[in-house]
């Protein structure tokens, strides 16, 4: 069975003591950076923006570390 290509590179962040976890997800096809935050059963995803309101884009190709 062929290995399935994963679209996002995930960079975990330090978990908070109040059961809040966050991570940066980088789209390997577009380079756009997203912030994902989870608290209990709730969570949210938003693109990271620079000071001019444009999405932060990592250079491609994204390499696994």
């Amino acid at each position: 069975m062929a290995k399935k290509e994963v679209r996002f590179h995930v960079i975990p962040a330090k978990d908070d003591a109040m059961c809040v976890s966050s991570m940066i997800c980088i789209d390997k096809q577009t380079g756009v950076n997203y912030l994902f935050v989870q608290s209990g059963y709730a969570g949210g995803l938003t693109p990271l923006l620079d000071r001019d309101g444009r999405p932060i884009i990592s250079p491609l190709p994204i390499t696994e570390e």
Side-chain angles (χ1 to χ4, degrees):
M1 178 176 245
K3 185 176 179 182
K4 185 176 179 180
E5 178 69 24
V6 178
R7 180 162 179 167
F8 292 93
H9 173 71
V10 177
I11 303 169
K14 188 174 181 181
D15 291 345
D16 189 300
M18 298 188 67
C19 299
V20 175
S21 63
S22 61
M23 62 186 74
I24 306 253
C25 303
I26 303 172
D27 188 326
K28 291 181 183 178
Q29 294 179 8
T30 64
V32 176
N33 289 241
Y34 297 90
L35 173 65
F36 177 73
V37 178
Q38 180 179 4
S39 178
Y41 292 110
L45 179 74
T46 187
L48 290 175
L49 305 176
D50 65 13
R51 66 176 59 199
D52 297 321
R54 294 183 301 243
I56 295 176
I57 300 175
S58 296
L60 295 175
I62 305 298
T63 57
E64 300 292 327
E65 296 177 8

